[in-house]
Amino acid sequence: MAATIKDIAKKAGVSMSTVSLVLNRKGYVASETKQRILSIMQQMDYKPLRSARKLATQKTGNIGYILWEGHFSEVEMFYSQVFLGMEYAARKNDHYILLTTVKEEFDPKENLPRFLRYNDVDGVALAGRVPHALIEYLDNQQLPFVLIDYELPGKNYNCVKIDNYNGAFRAVENLINAGRKQIAFVGGTFIHPSIKDRYRGYKEALEKYNLIHNDYLKKNSYCEDVETSRAIGEKGATKLLKKNPAIDAVFCCNDTTAMGVISGIQKSGKRIPQDIAVIGFDDIPPAKFNSPKLSTIQVPKLDIGKEAYKLLCEIMNNPSRAPQTRTISVDLIVRESSY
Amino acid sequence: MAATIKDIAKKAGVSMSTVSLVLNRKGYVASETKQRILSIMQQMDYKPLRSARKLATQKTGNIGYILWEGHFSEVEMFYSQVFLGMEYAARKNDHYILLTTVKEEFDPKENLPRFLRYNDVDGVALAGRVPHALIEYLDNQQLPFVLIDYELPGKNYNCVKIDNYNGAFRAVENLINAGRKQIAFVGGTFIHPSIKDRYRGYKEALEKYNLIHNDYLKKNSYCEDVETSRAIGEKGATKLLKKNPAIDAVFCCNDTTAMGVISGIQKSGKRIPQDIAVIGFDDIPPAKFNSPKLSTIQVPKLDIGKEAYKLLCEIMNNPSRAPQTRTISVDLIVRESSY
DNA sequence: AAAATATATTAAAACGTTTCGATAAATCAA
DNA sequence: TTGATTTATCGAAACGTTTTAATATATTTT
């Protein structure tokens, strides 16, 4: 059947050890022998057997990618794209990525992903709002892990995050520079730290330009303590316009919400962007198919995945290093819902 | 460190073979011994090491899931959901699923997924419109594979498909029963056999009710030879309404297209569903957030994944069996864009 | 010229399983 | 009772790598 390292060794007239050395670019081997071995490998179409390799090295060669089930089932392609970024990066190395989902109600004793139950990964990426019990479990197990776009208030974990604050700040600043005065915010639950940061960016941009007087924020912001959705965007827009008909711009905590906000505004009869400008956050694919096309903060999802992979590899190589946070910067894209 | 089979054997006072037998539910082992071994395993938290196991059994325990990159990057959550269905099913067994994407321009010599290059999977699921060269490669390699929602005209491969014909037929029949007379079709490239079948279902439903006269089909159908998108839906609707203002229903080849068609109709000033009813196909998540909510043919994506997994397992166990096609049935869901 | 170091190669052990064939006791069929 | 079959257990080989320590030669340093 398939050629083994033994076959290669025999044909090259060397020992298995030597073949292994050239395979792993280790130790000393005469360049003439090396060439001979390499060409024989090529010729015999030799592929080292992963399980044998892994058995000998005591590594799994796998990385887990755990996603909250809600993120995967919903409209959001966000975390799928991040996954793809990781997959691209991992292609260059010897890593396979095992993707699975967990439910919100999570108990490490009951529904632990099987690759964790069987110790089949060297490290894990946790995408989005993942159960705290899971994070603690990994921390206790001393298994290297990276949080993606999620931070725990008290704790200090390795993390790759979006520059939510500056993205929001820039979006609102852009609206202000375009002459908007009554700029609203529509968001979901603040449990997710990103949304909190986006709100902070919104607020501080307004502060910088001295726009906040009296009950400005109360009049102009709408947040419901639930997962964001198109529906709460629509509801939020309707309610805000009733409270303050002078609103001339809305900054939304994400695109899904923004698309709802746009529906709400359209129903009210106001025009976008002439009467009211709308800016979202994330740049999910539907954003550019919306009508009007959504202005938004573009976040480079593939890059996030790539960076998460790099960080994870570093942690796996040096597990005792102090945790660090890496921030991925974002850009404003102006389409049709603002100018 | 972690307990091995040797530790268990020693503690239980038996040989490694015996432990292995109970681990694999094979051969004969006294129920008393078995219980003892099992409880020791429990107690020592024994987890058989995958790489050792795989080395001994000469299997990889992995399944590949290959997706055309376009399907993954676009709005479509369809194949991600199918993946999730497979993942659910695989959780019960010893299989990991390795997800990767391939580009349309594909050359087995250049950009073969790494788990194929290194023979790291026991079987493969191919989702959607995947390069023919890849399919042929797998066929030549004699590697078990299943096509998901895709068939090759001449060839006869293992396949799990949606009942596209009957779904379309039922949608159109429903429109006819609701009194619609001028029923249009909007679609994309017929390269994808599903779309062809959906068109056939549309046509034969019209035939059954004797609605096709003269240039009915020519007047009422719009297809562009490109991948489907919201844009071609919108364009199609606009053009069709110009050609035949009497159109009172549109059956679309999928939801993405349907959402475009709805935009197009809305711009023309006609009302949905009073003036024109619209039905899509797939029931992708955005369908129910659209305005109006989209009536569509719901396809059980998780079930497709599950069935694909089951079929693939059967093939892997019995590679010489004649290829078979399994058809997953679908249901009409009436929301707001028809009645 | 001797000692130290760098280069090149290898044999054998180790990694943790499964499985084959052997052995022996217990049960069954005649 | 004898012979055949079923039940129960085990030792050892096999799976295909990596790695350690040993050996030998070549090169550099003193």
Side-chain angles (χ1 to χ4, degrees), chain B residues 158-194:
Chain B
N158 286 289
C159 169
V160 172
K161 54 166 287 200
I162 298 166
D163 195 347
N164 292 299
Y165 172 80
N166 280 308
F169 192 97
R170 218 169 303 151
V172 175
E173 195 168 39
N174 178 274
L175 292 169
I176 296 171
N177 288 336
R180 312 284 174 171
K181 302 290 182 201
Q182 295 289 318
I183 302 173
F185 178 89
V186 177
T189 175
F190 276 39
I191 289 180
H192 203 309
S194 317

Side-chain angles (χ1 to χ4, degrees), chain B residues 76-148:
Chain B
E76 309 240 10
M77 286 298 286
F78 188 92
Y79 292 104
S80 314
Q81 291 290 312
V82 174
F83 168 84
L84 195 54
M86 280 199 77
E87 157 68 13
Y88 284 156
R91 280 183 193 173
K92 289 169 202 138
N93 294 26
D94 205 16
H95 279 130
Y96 289 138
I97 302 183
L98 306 177
L99 166 58
T100 200
T101 60
V102 291
K103 295 198 189 302
E104 190 146 27
E105 60 287 4
F106 167 84
D107 175 4
K109 283 180 190 58
E110 292 295 321
N111 32 29
L112 206 56
R114 61 196 185 292
F115 54 68
L116 291 180
R117 194 162 51 238
Y118 299 125
N119 299 129
D120 274 341
V121 288
D122 301 328
V124 177
L126 300 169
R129 191 151 69 72
V130 101
H132 290 202
L134 175 56
I135 301 178
E136 276 163 30
Y137 173 85
L138 293 172
D139 200 26
N140 289 334
Q141 296 285 312
Q142 311 236 48
L143 194 65
F145 68 93
V146 176
L147 300 177
I148 296 176

Side-chain angles (χ1 to χ4, degrees), chain A residues 161-221:
Chain A
K161 55 167 287 198
I162 299 166
D163 195 347
N164 291 298
Y165 171 80
N166 281 309
F169 192 98
R170 219 169 304 150
V172 174
E173 194 167 40
N174 178 273
L175 290 169
I176 295 171
N177 289 338
R180 310 286 174 170
K181 300 289 182 200
Q182 296 288 319
I183 302 173
F185 177 88
V186 177
T189 175
F190 276 39
I191 289 180
H192 203 309
S194 318
I195 296 190
K196 211 153 137 191
D197 286 345
R198 290 173 192 182
Y199 180 75
R200 199 162 51 85
Y202 159 77
K203 202 178 107 200
E204 295 188 9
L206 293 175
E207 277 164 0
K208 176 176 171 194
Y209 291 90
N210 246 323
L211 285 178
I212 304 190
H213 302 111
N214 309 323
D215 52 352
Y216 187 102
L217 287 177
K218 205 159 278 174
K219 234 171 34 184
N220 288 331
S221 59

Side-chain angles (χ1 to χ4, degrees), chain B residues 191-262:
Chain B
I191 289 180
H192 203 309
S194 317
I195 297 190
K196 211 154 139 189
D197 286 344
R198 291 173 191 182
Y199 181 76
R200 200 163 50 84
Y202 158 78
K203 203 179 107 199
E204 294 188 11
L206 293 174
E207 277 165 1
K208 176 177 170 192
Y209 290 89
N210 246 322
L211 286 177
I212 305 189
H213 303 110
N214 309 321
D215 53 352
Y216 186 103
L217 287 178
K218 204 159 281 175
K219 233 172 35 186
N220 288 331
S221 57
Y222 176 87
C223 295
E224 243 182 283
D225 197 19
V226 296
E227 197 67 16
T228 58
S229 70
R230 191 163 176 138
I232 80 157
E234 188 158 342
K235 201 161 129 201
T238 313
K239 288 209 175 178
L240 281 173
L241 283 176
K242 211 159 278 172
K243 250 201 295 191
N244 177 14
I247 282 172
D248 56 8
V250 185
F251 169 64
C252 309
C253 74
N254 62 26
D255 287 352
T256 308
T257 311
M259 282 157 55
V261 163
I262 286 179

Side-chain angles (χ1 to χ4, degrees), chain A residues 85-222:
Chain A
M86 279 198 79
E87 158 67 15
Y88 284 157
R91 280 183 192 172
K92 287 169 203 136
N93 296 25
D94 204 16
H95 279 130
Y96 289 139
I97 302 183
L98 305 178
L99 166 59
T100 199
T101 60
V102 291
K103 295 200 191 300
E104 189 146 27
E105 60 288 4
F106 167 84
D107 175 6
K109 285 180 187 58
E110 291 296 320
N111 32 29
L112 207 57
R114 61 196 186 291
F115 54 68
L116 290 181
R117 195 163 49 239
Y118 299 126
N119 299 127
D120 274 341
V121 289
D122 300 329
V124 178
L126 300 170
R129 192 150 70 70
V130 103
H132 291 201
L134 176 56
I135 300 177
E136 277 162 29
Y137 173 85
L138 293 172
D139 200 26
N140 289 334
Q141 296 285 311
Q142 311 236 46
L143 195 67
F145 68 94
V146 176
L147 300 177
I148 297 175
D149 190 31
Y150 192 53
E151 282 175 303
L152 263 72
K155 310 286 192 158
N156 181 23
Y157 294 131
N158 285 289
C159 169
V160 173
K161 55 167 287 198
I162 299 166
D163 195 347
N164 291 298
Y165 171 80
N166 281 309
F169 192 98
R170 219 169 304 150
V172 174
E173 194 167 40
N174 178 273
L175 290 169
I176 295 171
N177 289 338
R180 310 286 174 170
K181 300 289 182 200
Q182 296 288 319
I183 302 173
F185 177 88
V186 177
T189 175
F190 276 39
I191 289 180
H192 203 309
S194 318
I195 296 190
K196 211 153 137 191
D197 286 345
R198 290 173 192 182
Y199 180 75
R200 199 162 51 85
Y202 159 77
K203 202 178 107 200
E204 295 188 9
L206 293 175
E207 277 164 0
K208 176 176 171 194
Y209 291 90
N210 246 323
L211 285 178
I212 304 190
H213 302 111
N214 309 323
D215 52 352
Y216 187 102
L217 287 177
K218 205 159 278 174
K219 234 171 34 184
N220 288 331
S221 59
Y222 177 88

